[in-house]
Amino acid sequence: MAALFQTLAAEDQVKDHSTGTRVVAGQIFLESGKSDSQSEDEENFHSQEEEKDNSLEELNSLEMLLFLFLKAEEQSNKRRQMQEAEDVYQTGMKILNESSKKAQKKEAYQYLLKAADMNHTKAMEKVSYALLFGDYLKQNIQSSKELFEKLTEEGSPKGQMALGFLYASGLGVNSSQAKALVYYTFGALGGNLIAHMILLWCNICIEQSCLKILLICFPVASDISLTGGTVVQRIRLADEVENPGMASGMLEEDLIQYYQFLAEKGDVQAQVGLGQLHLHGGRGVEQNHQRAFEYFNQAANAGNSHAMAFLGKMYSEGSDVVPQSNETALQYFKKAADMGNPVGQSGLGMAYLYGRGVPVNYELALKYFQKAAEQGWVDGQLQLGSMYYNGIGVKRDYKQALKYFNLASQGGHILAFYNLAQMHATGTGVMRSCHTAVELFKNVCERGRWSERLMTAYNSYKDGDSNSAVVQYLLLAEQGYEVAQSNAAFILDQKEASIVGENETYPRALLHWNRAASQGYTVARIKLGDYHFYGFGTDVDYETAFIHYRLASEQQHSAQAMFNLGYMHEKGLGIKQDIHLAKRFYDMAAEASPDAQVPVFLALCKLGVIYSVQYVREINIREVFSHIDMDQLLGPEWDLYLMTIITLLLGTIIAYRQRQHQAIPRPAGLRPAVPQQEPPPEHQPPQ
């Protein structure tokens, strides 16, 4: 049976295979020999396949060459466009930096617009901010948002920071503090100092770890202390409205022209004053080294030591107008120092301290710094503090260093604030205080170059462009500037900014009044009370209003807050009614401010009437008279005294009436009244 099954299986396998095979012992083997026709077909097939492969390889090579060529052409065009955009951008920036006229600056922004359309990153940053603030371009929040989004996609820290600001303020987008924080964080990680400033303020607001706040503000403060801070002009719009005659620190155009007229006539003091204004900028005067040099030169030729010292300072520091020259600076410093000028003495001290034009001599440097510091010059005080702090030319003394840094900080020197902040942060020469260090570092950070926008915003507001002003103030408010917070709230409170929806005006104003109040601004604290009292941007809440008024009264001794507290005590709003406490607060308001005396007098008169009416209502007159014992009050014969007084009064009245009748005789009859004629004028002889 086994042999039969093997035979059948072998036959089946033979039937299933072609003739080109043979079977041996149940295994299949290919025949080594082939027919001629089969060999030719196979050769043709292989040759066709080889031709196809060769043609595909040639085609792939051509495609690769074409792709590389197009890629190279595309990169070349891109480089050409980038170079063209860079040239246009540089042209615009040159016009922008060298011109002071508004028309020329507008022309510069046309070049920047063209470069931005060519996807030049820096041009897009300039144009987007110009569209946001309305600087020399028509304000367009939506267009600026689109550019900021494009910049953010490219990884621009400026674009990330600005987009965060839009989400924080709700301009052009739905407000989202979470998205704002994300964009601020990315901007700060990219090195944007404004984003660092905003994160610093955010962490202060939420009372984060003091050490964490120090780590945030330190790089910003270090950068500003190295580059030098600008003069910050802090003008509060609310104070200007409340006190129109109050000096804002700004110089009127007429006054500047008057000083210029005096300077042209040879007035040395006017020349020195205008020179300092143009050297540092501020008070409504733009920084202009050329004009500063001209004014100082005129005054120095007239023998003014202050002008000589400032010329030495300009030559020592160098600029585009005045080339840096230690030798020339030293000559001017010596002339001024010989005349006892503290600026010149401080300049000589710097020369000997760092070996600028003279050999290094710490003893002479210390000597000149001491002379300058004795006359109250801040640079001399600062450098003297630095020498004591570092032990240069003198024994190291942290107490003396702290003393001179404090003196220099009172004069507003930014490096003095920075050094004091470091001493308080590390506990060097003083008890360690992280909070004091943060306050000092914050003061340094607010002196950055971005603080110049405070004046730009103020000028925009004065020119009637409230939309531009409020956007600029809102950005500065995000950075923690109390002046910007109060000014943004004031513009929103007056409903002068159409860029903000009417329903959002009071809630946003309330937010910024709250921020300004937390930094100690009295008017903002009173405004918070008013908003809760009247229900502006929030629900009516007399108790919260009372708390804000009380804080303004206790912490800032505000007469307005005291008056409001008196009114609330009088009416029983948010507190139990108490007329006695109301009178007390009214009296305190009158003592706190002379301006409050008239309204306090009227309020007290009203309070007296209310008190009298209330007293009459509360008592029963019949019961009062029934309880009065006249015998005890006036004695047992009080009725005789009363009758005597009444008799004397009647006699006096009768005597007075009789005297009147005797003085006026009764006429015999009625006569018509004859008008009196004026006598003719006497003849006066000619003189």
Side-chain angles (χ1 to χ4, degrees):
M1 289 292 292
L4 178 62
F5 282 122
Q6 290 178 358
T7 305
L8 291 173
E11 289 179 357
D12 290 339
Q13 290 182 7
V14 172
K15 289 178 182 178
D16 290 340
H17 291 84
S18 61
T19 56
T21 59
R22 59 187 178 88
V23 180
V24 178
Q27 295 181 348
I28 303 172
F29 294 92
L30 293 176
E31 294 287 348
S32 58
K34 294 181 181 179
S35 63
D36 295 337
S37 59
Q38 288 178 339
S39 299
E40 289 178 2
D41 291 340
E42 288 181 3
E43 289 177 1
N44 291 335
F45 175 76
H46 287 301
S47 62
Q48 288 176 3
E49 289 295 325
E50 289 177 0
E51 289 177 0
K52 286 181 181 180
D53 292 339
N54 292 335
S55 60
L56 285 173
E57 289 179 2
E58 292 177 359
L59 184 60
N60 289 335
S61 300
L62 289 173
E63 287 180 353
M64 183 61 70
L65 289 173
L66 182 60
F67 173 77
L68 293 174
F69 175 76
L70 292 174
K71 191 71 175 176
E73 186 70 19
E74 183 182 352
Q75 291 179 351
S76 177
N77 291 334
K78 191 174 181 179
R79 283 195 298 269
R80 194 182 306 112
Q81 289 177 355
M82 289 176 62
Q83 185 59 46
E84 184 180 351
E86 179 67 22
D87 294 340
V88 174
Y89 170 76
Q90 292 297 337
T91 303
M93 290 302 298
K94 184 178 180 181
I95 298 173
L96 189 65
N97 294 329
E98 294 179 355
S99 61
S100 58
K101 295 181 179 179
K102 194 171 182 179
Q104 292 177 334
K105 289 183 180 290
K106 285 185 176 181
E107 180 188 353
Y109 269 97
Q110 294 303 315
Y111 283 100
L112 296 177
L113 268 173
K114 184 179 178 181
D117 291 338
M118 301 166 72
N119 295 325
H120 191 281
T121 303
K122 291 183 178 180
M124 285 194 292
E125 291 174 349
K126 295 287 288 186
V127 168
S128 58
Y129 278 93
L131 290 170
L132 178 64
F133 300 131
D135 290 343
Y136 309 107
L137 292 175
K138 186 178 180 181
Q139 191 176 31
N140 191 326
I141 302 295
Q142 192 62 33
S143 297
S144 66
K145 179 184 80 77
E146 292 172 0
L147 282 173
F148 288 140
E149 288 175 342
K150 190 173 182 180
L151 287 167
T152 300
E153 291 175 359
E154 295 179 2
S156 167
K158 286 186 177 180
Q160 292 164 343
M161 185 279 299
L163 199 57
F165 163 66
L166 292 182
Y167 277 106
S169 56
L171 295 174
V173 294
N174 293 326
S175 180
S176 173
Q177 297 301 321
K179 287 184 178 180
L181 186 60
V182 170
Y183 285 119
Y184 286 150
T185 304
F186 279 119
L189 291 173
N192 186 270
L193 295 180
I194 295 179
H196 271 285
M197 280 278 292
I198 295 171
L199 289 179
L200 166 63
W201 170 247
C202 290
N203 281 275
I204 291 175
C205 288
I206 60 178
E207 299 181 355
Q208 278 284 358
S209 166
C210 188
L211 181 60
K212 181 180 178 181
I213 297 172
L214 273 179
L215 293 174
I216 294 173
C217 65
F218 183 76
V220 185
S222 301
D223 180 83
I224 296 168
S225 63
L226 292 173
T227 58
T230 59
V231 179
V232 182
Q233 205 73 36
R234 303 175 187 271
I235 304 172
R236 295 181 178 87
L237 301 178
D239 290 347
E240 277 196 339
V241 173
E242 292 292 330
N243 306 300
M246 184 187 67
S248 64
M250 297 291 294
L251 290 177
E252 298 290 340
E253 185 65 28
D254 294 340
L255 188 59
I256 295 174
Q257 291 179 358
Y258 173 69
Y259 283 132
Q260 289 174 344
F261 173 76
L262 291 177
E264 290 172 1
K265 293 295 182 181
D267 189 306
V268 177
Q269 295 300 325
Q271 291 169 347
V272 174
L274 287 173
Q276 287 181 275
L277 278 174
H278 285 97
L279 177 63
H280 303 294
R283 304 191 68 181
V285 179
E286 290 187 3
Q287 194 175 41
N288 189 324
H289 285 181
Q290 180 63 46
R291 301 198 71 177
F293 179 77
E294 292 172 357
Y295 283 123
F296 285 142
N297 207 18
Q298 292 173 12
N301 292 334
N304 184 274
S305 62
H306 219 59
M308 295 176 187
F310 274 102
L311 279 176
K313 191 176 176 67
M314 292 186 75
Y315 275 109
S316 177
E317 295 173 354
S319 65
D320 295 337
V321 176
V322 181
Q324 201 281 333
S325 174
N326 289 331
E327 290 74 17
T328 309
L330 193 63
Q331 293 175 6
Y332 280 113
F333 283 144
K334 281 183 177 179
K335 288 181 182 179
D338 291 342
M339 299 171 72
N341 185 275
V343 184
Q345 292 167 346
S346 178
L348 268 184
M350 293 289 287
Y352 282 111
L353 180 63
Y354 295 106
R356 296 173 181 172
V358 290
V360 173
N361 190 324
Y362 295 139
E363 291 182 3
L364 283 177
L366 184 68
K367 171 187 171 183
Y368 282 115
F369 286 143
Q370 285 175 336
K371 287 184 177 182
E374 288 171 1
Q375 298 187 61
W377 182 240
V378 291
D379 280 343
Q381 294 166 344
L382 175 76
Q383 296 302 330
L384 197 57
S386 297
M387 293 188 77
Y388 277 111
Y389 183 86
N390 296 305
I392 299 175
V394 68
K395 184 180 178 181
R396 180 172 291 179
D397 189 338
Y398 292 129
K399 297 294 182 183
Q400 286 293 321
L402 185 69
K403 170 189 170 182
Y404 285 110
F405 286 151
N406 276 319
L407 289 172
S409 68
Q410 292 172 12
H413 204 295
I414 188 171
L415 281 175
F417 284 111
Y418 180 78
N419 293 339
L420 283 173
Q422 284 194 317
M423 292 183 75
H424 281 283
T426 57
T428 305
V430 67
M431 185 176 292
R432 187 176 182 274
S433 174
C434 185
H435 292 287
T436 305
V438 167
E439 286 297 320
L440 291 166
F441 273 133
K442 183 176 181 293
N443 193 304
V444 175
C445 293
E446 289 184 353
R447 299 282 291 276
R449 54 188 175 275
W450 44 81
S451 62
E452 297 173 358
R453 192 156 288 282
L454 280 171
M455 282 308 305
T456 309
Y458 177 77
N459 292 330
S460 298
Y461 181 77
K462 286 300 179 182
D463 292 339
D465 192 355
S466 298
N467 285 334
S468 174
V470 77
V471 173
Q472 295 177 75
Y473 279 134
L474 284 172
L475 178 58
L476 292 165
E478 286 289 305
Q479 296 170 237
Y481 286 90
E482 176 268 312
V483 177
Q485 292 165 351
S486 60
N487 287 351
F490 175 82
I491 295 174
L492 294 170
D493 178 76
Q494 300 296 313
K495 295 187 176 181
E496 296 177 340
S498 60
I499 201 170
V500 180
E502 188 173 352
N503 295 332
E504 300 177 2
T505 300
Y506 282 134
R508 291 192 186 183
L510 179 64
L511 170 67
H512 291 292
W513 284 131
N514 193 24
R515 290 179 174 180
S518 67
Q519 299 198 63
Y521 185 39
T522 309
V523 175
R525 182 66 66 184
I526 295 172
K527 281 288 186 181
L528 282 177
D530 293 344
Y531 273 48
H532 285 93
F533 187 91
Y534 295 107
F536 293 158
T538 184
D539 297 331
V540 174
D541 189 345
Y542 293 130
E543 293 182 1
T544 305
F546 183 85
I547 291 171
H548 287 299
Y549 290 143
R550 189 178 64 188
L551 287 172
S553 171
E554 294 175 354
Q555 296 176 359
Q556 287 95 20
H557 306 288
S558 167
Q560 180 67 56
M562 295 172 186
F563 187 90
N564 294 349
L565 286 172
Y567 181 81
M568 296 185 77
H569 276 291
E570 176 188 334
K571 297 294 184 182
L573 301 173
I575 195 72
K576 184 179 178 181
Q577 187 177 22
D578 191 329
I579 294 178
H580 300 287
L581 276 176
K583 183 180 182 303
R584 178 187 173 189
F585 278 110
Y586 283 142
D587 291 337
M588 289 170 61
E591 293 175 3
S593 173
D595 296 336
Q597 291 179 358
V598 173
V600 165
F601 172 76
L602 297 174
L604 288 175
C605 291
K606 175 189 172 187
L607 194 63
V609 173
I610 294 173
Y611 179 76
S612 301
V613 172
Q614 186 177 354
Y615 180 76
V616 170
R617 285 178 179 176
E618 289 177 354
I619 65 172
N620 191 330
I621 297 176
R622 290 182 181 179
E623 290 183 5
V624 171
F625 282 107
S626 65
H627 286 88
I628 294 176
D629 189 351
M630 299 301 291
D631 291 339
Q632 292 182 357
L633 186 65
L634 299 175
E637 298 178 350
W638 63 271
D639 52 345
L640 295 176
Y641 299 149
L642 182 60
M643 290 175 64
T644 303
I645 292 170
I646 292 173
T647 303
L648 289 173
L649 285 173
L650 286 172
T652 303
I653 293 171
I654 292 169
Y656 178 74
R657 292 294 299 273
Q658 287 180 351
R659 190 176 299 165
Q660 278 188 331
H661 285 291
Q662 291 175 0
I664 304 174
R666 184 175 296 174
L670 294 174
R671 295 181 182 179
V674 180
Q676 296 182 356
Q677 295 182 357
E678 294 182 3
E682 297 181 0
H683 179 69
Q684 296 182 359
Q687 297 182 1

